[in-house]
Amino acid sequence: MKIIQAENYDQMSHIAANYISAQITLKPDCVLGLATGSSPVGTYQQLIRQYQAGDLDFSEVSSINLDEYRGLSPENDQSYRYFMDTNLFNHVNIDKNRTYVPDGLEPDSHKACRDYDAIIRTHGSIDLQLLGLGNNGHIGFNEPADTFAKGTHCVDLTPSTIQANARFFASMDEVPKQAYTMGIQSIMQAKKILVIVSGTAKAGIVKEAFTGPVTPQVPASILQLHPDVTVVADKDALSLL
Ligand code: GLP
């Protein structure tokens, strides 16, 4: 695991965007695993700038997102599909037919998960998976558990995750309590993984996840076993390492 220290969120975003654009340049038809949350917003802004400057071409890129809230439509401004459209896809020349997010409106959770695993399988492995880090060590929406879930599954979000995500909703009651998430196996099968983390609030979990024991109670800890992980974190997030 390689850890790169950035001065702050902006520098973290620059470094992460350069890493992703290098991947697209080297393999224009690559499959990107993409993430939501506040961590990647700056990275996506940098990618948009590079595209606008004519330095980046998304026309052959495919993307597979990590997760989606169960019950939210793509038009709901809190859905992850909406997030991806507004924070990246609408601003670059990616073919939206090649962008995938779990179907939050599929009421049959088994079908939703099966369909998403089929999409992942069809694409072979993900070339580069971008990840944020949840406050409790979750990746995607793989919450702390007794075992590592392999494939796409429907999760009951933990109270701490519901609380952390409440900042994006008008009230706590509106935060969905369940989500569909790609499993740990699909994440671990990505050829390369890029983790971005920022802020003092994440310092404790960064230390636990990347230097502590590998355990499903801290899902991100499994990344220690992946052969090609790069963590780009700002000074604050690395302050306890
Ligand atoms: C959500 C997402 C994760 C994300 C995490 C951290 O729970 N499902 O993919 O990594 O939040 O979010 P943030 O980057 O806002 O701290």
Side-chain angles (χ1 to χ4, degrees):
M1 175 176 285
K2 194 196 304 174
I3 298 185
I4 299 175
Q5 179 174 290
E7 271 308 304
N8 49 36
Y9 180 87
D10 280 348
Q11 201 191 17
M12 174 196 82
S13 304
H14 266 96
I15 296 169
N18 286 341
Y19 192 96
I20 296 168
S21 59
Q23 169 69 66
I24 298 172
T25 304
L26 287 171
K27 189 178 177 196
D29 62 347
C30 63
V31 181
L32 298 179
L34 295 178
T36 54
S38 49
S39 305
V41 171
T43 303
Y44 294 153
Q45 282 167 358
Q46 291 303 324
L47 289 174
I48 292 166
R49 278 199 199 112
Q50 293 185 20
Y51 165 73
Q52 287 169 342
D55 293 333
L56 206 48
D57 176 14
F58 286 82
S59 61
E60 292 177 61
V61 171
S62 301
S63 73
I64 303 181
N65 258 77
L66 284 166
D67 45 15
E68 179 60 284
Y69 287 116
R70 187 179 188 196
L72 296 197
S73 73
E75 294 77 34
N76 185 308
D77 63 4
Q78 293 307 330
S79 75
Y80 285 169
R81 161 54 76 179
Y82 187 93
F83 174 102
M84 289 310 302
D85 284 349
T86 51
N87 283 285
L88 182 64
F89 300 154
N90 288 349
H91 309 287
V92 297
N93 66 334
I94 199 163
D95 176 354
K96 280 214 196 155
N97 293 319
R98 280 209 283 258
T99 67
Y100 301 92
V101 179
D103 181 359
L105 285 187
E106 172 55 64
D108 177 346
S109 62
H110 293 294
K111 181 173 184 320
C113 298
R114 242 188 357 256
D115 289 353
Y116 209 58
D117 278 337
I119 288 168
I120 297 168
R121 250 194 331 272
T122 308
H123 284 81
S125 52
I126 290 168
D127 291 295
L128 171 58
Q129 176 67 57
L130 176 65
L131 294 176
L133 180 65
N135 291 327
N136 58 4
H138 72 234
I139 45 178
F141 266 134
N142 289 276
E143 295 278 39
D146 292 336
T147 54
F148 290 110
K150 292 184 187 140
T152 303
H153 55 290
C154 181
V155 273
D156 293 328
L157 301 177
T158 63
S160 96
T161 298
I162 292 170
Q163 193 170 8
N165 291 347
R167 66 200 145 119
F168 301 114
F169 291 82
S171 76
M172 192 80 144
D173 292 343
E174 287 179 32
V175 190
K177 309 291 181 287
Q178 288 188 312
Y180 295 128
T181 184
M182 194 188 275
I184 293 290
Q185 189 176 38
S186 311
I187 294 172
M188 287 296 281
Q189 281 173 346
K191 290 180 192 149
K192 285 188 280 231
I193 296 180
L194 173 63
V195 189
I196 48 177
V197 203
S198 129
T200 321
K202 298 266 176 81
I205 195 64
V206 163
K207 183 171 183 220
E208 220 181 314
F210 301 141
T211 65
V214 174
T215 162
Q217 293 300 335
V218 182
S221 64
I222 199 159
L223 300 175
Q224 294 179 48
L225 304 182
H226 189 282
D228 193 345
V229 174
T230 301
V231 178
V232 184
D234 64 13
K235 267 184 172 166
D236 289 343
L238 294 177
S239 56
L240 294 179
L241 279 197

